[in-house]
């Protein structure tokens, strides 16, 4: 460049004295040197975190890299841009692209990227991901050489369907209907319910199903059938009654006294049954007896062989299972009864 400058001076000053010519050339060289010094810029080039100092007269970063033998790949990221104007004491950052593999939508994509994160890489490759989609490694994970990124498409759908609610059949004993016969009292009707099921799909395949809610749209109507329990039979003593069933039971006897009940006259509960009635022995109508409510419900009318008609009104600590305790008005009557196995007929 200096030689060209000297040649240029000789062209415009061909006849001047030699000393004057040399003086002009010297002054010009000094000026040129000062100009070139002022045009010189220092740039720090950072390549994947490693810094290189470079001095340049170039006007663009592209020329800076070319003069330093640094090549840029098509996927490398350079900041500032290669064609931007060089500034003194500036820093040029280069991030080299690395090869990664992306598995998404049934395809495998091999690409190079210099992006900072998995999410930015996917965006740069025009791979859209929803908030439900699963990405491995995570979307915030830094890009590493040779890494494999897997995108699992996730879909959630709420499915609605109507289902029938089957009606129940209720059987009711009816002592007014002959044993074994049945009578329809109420026709049954199915109800209807709406079921909302949440189904989760991964890459188009169902992976889970969960019932979210059930809404009854129509209540079912029970079917009610009366079942006859009326039977006509002759008791052992020749008396004929209608009864539903008979049970062989152990029969004992008790009175209202302290020995049987643990209560004395004057006690508010003296002579009162578990049903709240006054214990009685009525040979013309119904007498009070104690039962195990798990076997014979309280309030059931009975006929006890050798004792007569009775109502299950009382209970007792020792009256368990197939056992009844018959009430008598006196200790002598209770003592005469003793303990017997008798047939007990359920009549209502």
């Amino acid at each position: 460049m200096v030689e060209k400058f000297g040649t240029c001076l000789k062209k415009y000053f061909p006849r001047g004295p030699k000393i004057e010519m040399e003086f002009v050339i010297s002054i010009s060289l000094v000026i040129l040197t000062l100009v070139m010094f002022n045009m010189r810029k220092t740039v720090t080039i950072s390549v994947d975190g490693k810094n290189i100092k470079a001095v340049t007269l170039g006007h663009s970063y592209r020329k800076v890299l070319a003069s330093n033998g640094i090549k840029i790949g098509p996927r490398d990221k350079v900041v500032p841009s290669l064609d931007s104007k060089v500034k003194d004491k500036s820093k040029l950052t280069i991030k080299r692209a690395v090869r990664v593999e992306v598995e998404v939508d049934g395809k495998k994509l091999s690409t190079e990227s210099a992006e900072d994160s998995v999410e930015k890489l996917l965006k740069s490759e025009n791979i859209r991901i929803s908030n439900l989609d699963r990405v491995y490694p995570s979307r915030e994970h830094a890009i590493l050489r040779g890494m494999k990124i897997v995108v699992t498409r996730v879909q959630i759908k709420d499915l609605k369907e109507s289902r029938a609610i089957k009606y129940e059949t209720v059987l009711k004993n009816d002592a007014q209907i002959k044993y074994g016969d049945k009578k329809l009292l109420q026709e049954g009707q199915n109800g209807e319910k709406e079921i909302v099921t949440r189904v989760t799909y991964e890459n188009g395949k169902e992976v889970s199903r969960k019932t979210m809610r059930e809404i009854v749209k129509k209540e079912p109507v029970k079917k009610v059938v009366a079942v006859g329990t009326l039977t006509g039979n002759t008791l052992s003593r020749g008396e004929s009654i209608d009864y539903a069933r008979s049970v062989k039971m152990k029969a004992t006897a008790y009175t209202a006294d302290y020995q049987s009940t643990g209560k004395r006259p004057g006690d508010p509960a003296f002579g009162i049954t578990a049903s709240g009635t006054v214990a009685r022995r009525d040979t013309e109508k119904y007498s009070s007896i104690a039962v195990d409510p798990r076997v014979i419900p309280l309030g059931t009318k009975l006929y006890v062989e050798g004792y007569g008609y009775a109502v299950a009104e009382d209970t007792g600590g020792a009256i368990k299972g197939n056992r009844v305790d018959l009430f008598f008005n006196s200790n002598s009557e209770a003592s005469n009864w003793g303990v017997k196995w008798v047939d007990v007929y359920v009549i209502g």
Side-chain angles (χ1 to χ4, degrees), residues 270-316:
F270 180 77
I272 304 300
T273 67
S275 300
T277 62
V278 177
R280 65 196 179 281
R281 171 69 172 127
D282 190 337
T283 58
E284 299 297 326
K285 296 180 180 179
Y286 288 90
S287 300
S288 300
I289 67 171
V291 298
D292 183 347
R294 296 172 301 176
V295 179
I296 298 177
L298 292 177
T300 303
K301 292 181 178 180
L302 309 164
Y303 183 87
V304 181
E305 183 181 12
Y307 180 75
Y309 291 96
V311 180
E313 293 182 327
D314 210 353
T315 59

Side-chain angles (χ1 to χ4, degrees), residues 132-169:
L132 293 175
D133 292 338
R134 286 207 323 274
V135 181
Y136 179 84
S138 67
R139 304 179 192 212
E140 298 79 19
H141 201 288
I143 298 298
L144 302 174
R145 185 183 302 275
M147 78 185 306
K148 182 178 180 181
I149 301 169
V150 179
V151 178
T152 302
R153 299 295 190 191
V154 179
Q155 270 187 311
I156 294 178
K157 293 182 179 180
D158 285 346
L159 305 180
K160 294 182 180 180
E161 61 175 324
S162 294
R163 291 185 188 175
I165 306 175
K166 293 186 177 180
Y167 63 81
E168 297 180 17
T169 299

Side-chain angles (χ1 to χ4, degrees), residues 22 29 51 56 83 90 101 122 133 140 185 196 202 236 238 242 244 258 270 288 290 299 318 329 336 340:
E22 289 177 353
L29 288 174
N51 295 333
T56 182
D83 295 320
S90 62
E101 185 177 288
L122 295 174
D133 292 338
E140 298 79 19
L185 301 180
V196 179
E202 291 185 0
S236 57
D242 292 321
Y258 182 80
F270 180 77
S288 300
N329 291 321
N336 288 335
K340 300 178 183 178

Side-chain angles (χ1 to χ4, degrees), residues 214-229:
E214 294 186 6
I215 303 171
V216 177
K217 297 292 186 179
K218 180 184 176 183
E219 293 285 354
V221 177
K222 294 180 180 180
K223 181 179 181 179
V224 183
V225 178
V227 179
T229 60

Side-chain angles (χ1 to χ4, degrees), residues 34-191:
L34 290 173
V35 171
M36 292 179 65
F37 182 81
N38 289 331
M39 290 178 62
R40 187 180 66 172
K41 300 177 182 66
T42 301
V43 178
T44 301
I45 303 172
S46 177
V47 182
D48 289 337
K50 296 180 180 179
N51 295 333
I52 302 170
K53 292 285 186 179
V55 177
T56 182
L57 296 175
H59 295 291
S60 69
Y61 289 106
R62 188 184 299 277
K63 289 183 179 180
V64 174
L65 294 178
S67 62
N68 285 273
I70 300 174
K71 295 182 179 180
I72 300 299
R75 293 274 182 147
D76 293 343
K77 294 189 77 172
V78 182
V79 179
S81 65
L82 291 174
D83 295 320
S84 58
K85 187 177 180 180
V86 177
K87 295 181 180 180
D88 188 31
K89 297 181 181 179
S90 62
K91 184 175 183 179
L92 181 67
T93 303
I94 301 170
K95 187 176 182 182
R96 297 294 189 187
V98 295
R99 183 156 295 280
V100 297
E101 185 177 288
V102 181
E103 187 174 319
V104 60
D105 298 329
K107 300 176 182 178
K108 290 185 178 180
L109 171 67
S110 182
T111 185
E112 289 186 342
S113 177
E115 297 294 342
D116 296 327
S117 66
V118 170
E119 186 171 29
K120 290 181 179 179
L121 179 147
L122 295 174
K123 187 176 181 180
S124 69
E125 296 293 336
N126 293 320
I127 299 173
R128 295 184 178 182
I129 52 175
S130 71
N131 292 332
L132 293 175
D133 292 338
R134 286 207 323 274
V135 181
Y136 179 84
S138 67
R139 304 179 192 212
E140 298 79 19
H141 201 288
I143 298 298
L144 302 174
R145 185 183 302 275
M147 78 185 306
K148 182 178 180 181
I149 301 169
V150 179
V151 178
T152 302
R153 299 295 190 191
V154 179
Q155 270 187 311
I156 294 178
K157 293 182 179 180
D158 285 346
L159 305 180
K160 294 182 180 180
E161 61 175 324
S162 294
R163 291 185 188 175
I165 306 175
K166 293 186 177 180
Y167 63 81
E168 297 180 17
T169 299
V170 178
L171 302 179
K172 289 189 174 181
N173 291 336
D174 193 329
Q176 305 301 316
I177 301 175
K178 186 177 179 181
Y179 181 81
D181 289 349
K182 294 180 181 180
K183 180 181 179 181
L184 179 64
L185 301 180
Q186 178 177 281
E187 188 61 77
Q189 293 182 4
N190 286 335

